[in-house]
Amino acid sequence: MMMMSKCCTTTAFFPETNSNLLLRRRRRLVVAVEPKTTTTTTRRRRARECYQQQHQQRGGVLRRCGVVVPKANATEKGGGHCDVDEGYVGGSAIRTPKDTTVRLGDSTITIETQKVGLQANGAVVVTEGDTVVYCTVCAGRELSADGGWVPLTVNYTERFSAAGKFSGGFKKRDGSLKEGETLKSRIVDRPIRPLIPKGFGYDTQILEWVLSYDNERTTDALAICAASAALAVSDVPLKTPVMGCRVGYIDGKFVANPTKEEMETSRMDLVMAGTKEAVLMIEGFGDFLTTEEMIAGIACGQEEIARAAREIEEWAREVGKEKIGGDMLIQTPEGIDEKVEALVGEDLKEAMLIPIKKVRGKAIGDLRQKAVDALKKDTGESDGFDSAQIEQACGRIESAALREAIRTNGRRQDGRKLTHIRPIVAECGVLPRTHGSALFTRGETQCYSVTTLGGKSDEQRVDDALEDGTDKRFMLHYFFPPSSVGECGRVGGANRREIGHGNLAERALLPIIPNGEDFPFTIKIESTVTESNGSSSMATVCGGCLALQDAGVPIKRKVAGVAMGLILGDEKQPEAIILTDILGSEDALGDMDFKCAGDSDGFTAFQMDIKVEGITLDVMRNALEEARLGIVHVLGEMEKSNPAPRGKIGAYAPQISKISVNPKFIGKVIGKGGETIKNIVEKTGVSSIDVDDSGNVTITGPGGCDMEGARETIEGICLEPEVGKIYRNCEVKKILEFGCFVEIFPGVDGLCHISELEVGRVATVNDVVKEGEKIDVKLLEINGRGQMKLSRREVLLEEDPELAGDDNQERGRRPAPEQGRGRGRGGRGNGRGPRRDSGGFDMVDNLN
């Protein structure tokens, strides 16, 4: 049976089969053929009419996921090719974005939300010039933390397409995290983490992508702004918005948010973040900046940050979502602190004053376990507390005990006064086969530092998505194995902490590294932390400086580093307390970690993380001055190193020689497919020969190689022959019937005709010279094709003019040429063409 559809918008015949019914459902064709189908259709129509009626009563808008979406209408296009079905009630493609504009220095930043990424908890598109950063914030639906820490992850990504580039590697797909992206992820994480309440125990992820880049300004500060704005408009709790800013010191003036071009002449490179009230994070590097210069730079940046943070806060209040709070935050159980205090409080306070880290850690661990065993909630019971809550209560007691001991006694866990530095022992040359080494020990913090020297080919290639990065000739790699804190753990590629600490130490030492003209080596420092109890990154700076000296690197100045801490005041003692050379526990339980590196005259690197909502400039000024005094003390202890640094390049270090050649000889030096360089390397034993576009040649080789021979060979290749000059000890490379080829420079041959070999007549070439023999020749001529005519005869005549008479007599006894010679086949052709003894060399064309 065949039946025609009466309700279908197109004319078609469908057999009444199960497959036809399925087909009609897939195509959403309404066919009234059976009472059952009609009933279903009617039900759907009535449900749709009811929904649309309710929709209109609500004002023609839908609320989905907290976002207001306009009603779809007949004019809205779906997919760009057809009208939207009037029954469609899904999400709308028409968005109503909300934006705001803030000023940062001389630049304008636009922040837009509610247009892109609506399914995230918060999403913004931030634009500065032609640079565009897209940022999202998402929170998990289930608890993943116990309230003692914030489960926050920040991932910052730079797309090669943002700068119109392809990756230089084999893989062209973006995705693998680069070191620069890791460093910027850390810069975003550090100021934001203290502003999310610890009670928010849901996984929180901030994702950032640089989608367009105009090469005007770097994106560090913009990434902080984007993350803060996305959090501010989301429902994830945030105490107050944060803002980032870069500060430069250019021509004696501090400039907020400078361009890359301006930063080329800046003495300061400071990236900072703060709120409308105080500074939260700083990280910067400089050319031996004074305390007052640093404070003035921070004040300049904080002024811009405070204004922008207030504007973002006002905008987020208008367009942002309601923040998660109340029961969604993990609360401290009532009475837990009192019960833990009564059980182990006094013992914990005594344990916190044990001076040795390992002993102290064991004692505290035992007391925590005692509290957990006594107060934990058993399965099925209502009384008691979770283990994590009990340990957090112990942590609060420990923090209070540490602070009270410092405020009351003016002494710290290891018995030191507030500004004293732990004992220091330094040794150099401890690893005999390395190019330079040092073992630096400060209290219970210790590290091996090793310097390795290399050539041009050992430089670190940089494949940067946004910047046109140059190869790095100085690098520092920091290793923090779990054994350094007496634990088992993951070992493998560098983690974020290792990358961040290594970068800080590298930038601290960079100002003292000699330039490539004065010291043409590639320099790498490896720092392996063997013990850690506070500021292993600053120990790396000290050990790295000693290892450089031990390797014979002519550093410009000596530098050292020290970490500062802070205990904020309370009602009894409102004044903040500055700690010099902090321990690991003072870092964990205190309010600040401020690392500073430099010398007595200024700072080369500084990094500050605040665990509260900010500190004032006065507190920072005091911390910097105490840090300067601490650095002076550490430098004095480094001078006592025993053994002392060697101060010269060691026997196992490579040799380097540099030559400048005319760029027109570059191809000749390299040779076809690098053949010339390969031959020189094989012959002399050097490691590598690098040639740049300017004609600078760098020869690198191990000890014992023929460095001088490689240098002479390259110089010989690039010498330009001079007509009339005598060349001594030239090797006969090849003998032919009409003469021989003589090498006057390495790889440069000329023809010495048989008539120019001797003062008299020569019967055969072998009567005068043999292949491989060394002779002196004079360059007589260079023709238009660059072919050289040489003469041994002219050298002999210059050395003994009396031979000229014998030569004339010999030539006079030769028979006169016959009349008409050359007119027949094989003749000279009316005197055309060179005689056998004329010294002509056009025939070389057929031999070379």
Side-chain angles (χ1 to χ4, degrees), residues 753-756 761 811 814 834-840:
H753 193 265
I754 189 172
S755 62
E756 296 294 338
R761 182 175 177 82
R811 291 179 183 272
R814 295 174 184 170
R835 290 189 178 91
R836 176 176 178 272
D837 60 351
S838 67

Side-chain angles (χ1 to χ4, degrees), residues 67 93-98 112-126 132-137 209 211 230 233 321:
V67 179
I94 295 178
R95 309 292 170 84
T96 306
K98 307 291 184 181
E112 181 184 74
T113 189
Q114 296 186 13
K115 180 180 180 181
V116 180
L118 299 188
Q119 298 192 41
N121 291 63
V124 296
V125 176
V126 180
V132 179
V133 176
Y134 169 50
C135 179
T136 63
V137 175
W209 298 267
L211 302 181
V233 300
K321 300 177 182 178

Side-chain angles (χ1 to χ4, degrees), residues 509-578:
L509 292 169
L510 186 60
I512 69 171
I513 300 297
N515 58 48
E517 295 297 324
D518 298 333
F519 194 71
F521 288 89
T522 296
I523 306 168
K524 182 180 74 170
I525 296 177
E526 291 177 347
S527 176
T528 302
V529 179
T530 57
E531 297 179 39
S532 179
N533 186 15
S535 190
S536 55
S537 62
M538 293 298 97
T540 293
V541 174
C542 301
C545 183
L546 291 170
L548 287 171
Q549 297 175 69
D550 192 55
V553 179
I555 59 175
K556 299 175 182 178
R557 296 159 73 163
K558 299 176 183 178
V559 297
V562 67
M564 310 300 294
L566 174 70
I567 301 295
L568 288 178
D570 57 9
E571 296 179 356
K572 298 179 181 178
Q573 188 177 347
E575 185 177 353
I577 299 175
I578 305 295

Side-chain angles (χ1 to χ4, degrees), residues 159-237:
R159 291 282 171 83
F160 279 88
S161 58
K165 296 166 57 177
F166 281 88
S167 170
F170 178 76
K171 294 181 180 180
K172 299 303 177 184
R173 177 184 174 90
D174 290 355
S176 58
L177 198 63
K178 295 178 283 292
E179 187 170 300
E181 293 172 330
T182 298
L183 294 172
K184 290 180 182 178
S185 296
R186 282 173 54 85
I187 280 181
V188 174
D189 184 300
R190 284 159 43 202
I192 286 177
R193 186 175 293 273
L195 297 180
I196 299 178
K198 287 185 178 180
F200 189 72
Y202 299 87
D203 277 330
T204 305
Q205 187 178 45
I206 299 176
L207 301 179
E208 296 189 89
W209 298 267
V210 180
L211 302 181
S212 177
Y213 183 61
D214 61 10
N215 206 33
E216 276 291 312
R217 291 174 170 85
T218 53
T219 57
D220 316 57
L222 193 64
I224 298 173
C225 171
S228 173
L231 276 168
V233 300
S234 75
D235 53 0
V236 175

Side-chain angles (χ1 to χ4, degrees), residues 1-16 20 24 29-34:
M1 175 181 176
M2 302 292 288
M3 185 173 183
M4 183 175 179
S5 172
K6 296 180 180 179
C7 300
C8 184
T9 58
T10 60
T11 302
F13 288 89
F14 300 96
E16 288 304 306
N20 180 41
R24 284 182 296 173
L29 299 176
V30 181
V31 182
V33 293
E34 294 291 338

Side-chain angles (χ1 to χ4, degrees), residues 589-715:
L589 302 177
D591 299 316
M592 178 184 76
D593 179 15
F594 195 177
K595 302 179 179 71
C596 301
D599 64 7
S600 59
D601 296 327
F603 298 96
T604 59
F606 38 92
Q607 182 186 89
M608 182 189 73
D609 291 313
I610 298 297
K611 300 167 187 178
V612 290
E613 293 186 31
I615 62 172
T616 64
L617 292 179
D618 288 338
V619 171
M620 208 173 300
R621 180 182 285 105
N622 293 337
L624 285 169
E625 183 56 30
E626 291 295 337
R628 187 188 68 82
L629 297 175
I631 288 172
V632 172
H633 173 80
V634 175
L635 285 171
E637 296 300 303
M638 289 166 59
E639 288 292 333
K640 302 175 184 178
S641 174
N642 185 21
R646 183 170 44 214
K648 62 180 180 179
I649 295 178
Y652 301 107
Q655 305 175 49
I656 285 188
S657 182
K658 299 191 74 171
I659 313 169
S660 294
V661 302
N662 193 317
K664 70 180 182 180
F665 291 116
I666 290 177
K668 202 172 182 181
V669 171
I670 296 174
K672 185 178 180 180
E675 182 179 2
T676 304
I677 286 181
K678 291 176 183 176
N679 290 338
I680 297 173
V681 168
E682 183 178 350
K683 181 179 177 181
T684 61
V686 299
S687 301
S688 63
I689 299 174
D690 302 293
V691 187
D692 65 19
D693 294 337
S694 301
N696 296 315
V697 182
T698 304
I699 310 169
T700 307
C705 69
D706 187 9
M707 180 68 67
E708 193 60 33
R711 183 185 180 96
E712 290 177 356
T713 301
I714 294 173
E715 289 176 339

Side-chain angles (χ1 to χ4, degrees), residues 40-305:
T40 302
T41 303
T42 303
R43 258 198 321 268
R44 290 174 178 170
R45 177 175 53 79
R46 289 175 178 173
R48 184 170 64 249
E49 291 174 353
C50 179
Y51 188 89
Q52 289 174 347
Q53 183 178 4
Q54 295 174 359
H55 183 194
Q56 292 172 357
Q57 292 174 356
R58 290 198 298 266
V61 297
L62 296 176
R63 290 186 176 271
R64 289 175 177 259
C65 300
V67 179
V68 177
V69 184
K71 175 188 175 183
N73 54 60
T75 61
E76 183 178 343
K77 299 295 182 181
H81 65 276
C82 64
D83 292 342
V84 175
D85 186 341
E86 63 178 6
Y88 175 73
V89 291
S92 174
I94 295 178
R95 309 292 170 84
T96 306
K98 307 291 184 181
D99 59 36
T100 187
T101 300
V102 297
R103 295 283 300 177
L104 193 65
D106 293 333
S107 179
T108 299
I109 298 174
T110 301
I111 309 171
E112 181 184 74
T113 189
Q114 296 186 13
K115 180 180 180 181
V116 180
L118 299 188
Q119 298 192 41
N121 291 63
V124 296
V125 176
V126 180
T127 305
E128 183 180 23
D130 287 339
T131 297
V132 179
V133 176
Y134 169 50
C135 179
T136 63
V137 175
C138 287
R141 295 180 174 87
E142 297 181 359
L143 282 172
S144 60
D146 54 22
W149 55 285
V150 177
L152 172 67
T153 303
V154 178
N155 292 98
Y156 166 93
T157 303
E158 296 172 346
R159 291 282 171 83
F160 279 88
S161 58
K165 296 166 57 177
F166 281 88
S167 170
F170 178 76
K171 294 181 180 180
K172 299 303 177 184
R173 177 184 174 90
D174 290 355
S176 58
L177 198 63
K178 295 178 283 292
E179 187 170 300
E181 293 172 330
T182 298
L183 294 172
K184 290 180 182 178
S185 296
R186 282 173 54 85
I187 280 181
V188 174
D189 184 300
R190 284 159 43 202
I192 286 177
R193 186 175 293 273
L195 297 180
I196 299 178
K198 287 185 178 180
F200 189 72
Y202 299 87
D203 277 330
T204 305
Q205 187 178 45
I206 299 176
L207 301 179
E208 296 189 89
W209 298 267
V210 180
L211 302 181
S212 177
Y213 183 61
D214 61 10
N215 206 33
E216 276 291 312
R217 291 174 170 85
T218 53
T219 57
D220 316 57
L222 193 64
I224 298 173
C225 171
S228 173
L231 276 168
V233 300
S234 75
D235 53 0
V236 175
L238 183 72
K239 296 175 183 177
T240 182
V242 64
M243 187 67 185
C245 182
R246 175 174 250 104
V247 179
Y249 189 31
I250 304 160
D251 297 330
K253 296 180 180 179
F254 293 97
V255 179
N257 200 25
T259 64
K260 288 174 58 180
E261 184 179 356
E262 290 173 327
M263 286 300 297
E264 291 178 358
T265 59
S266 176
R267 290 186 58 227
M268 170 189 282
D269 182 9
L270 167 64
V271 177
M272 58 181 295
T275 65
K276 61 184 179 181
E277 296 177 348
V279 178
L280 274 175
M281 181 274 295
I282 65 172
E283 178 164 327
F285 313 97
D287 184 19
F288 294 95
L289 300 167
T290 65
T291 299
E292 291 306 318
E293 287 172 339
M294 288 182 58
I295 292 298
I298 294 169
C300 172
Q302 179 58 23
E303 182 180 352
E304 297 290 324
I305 285 172

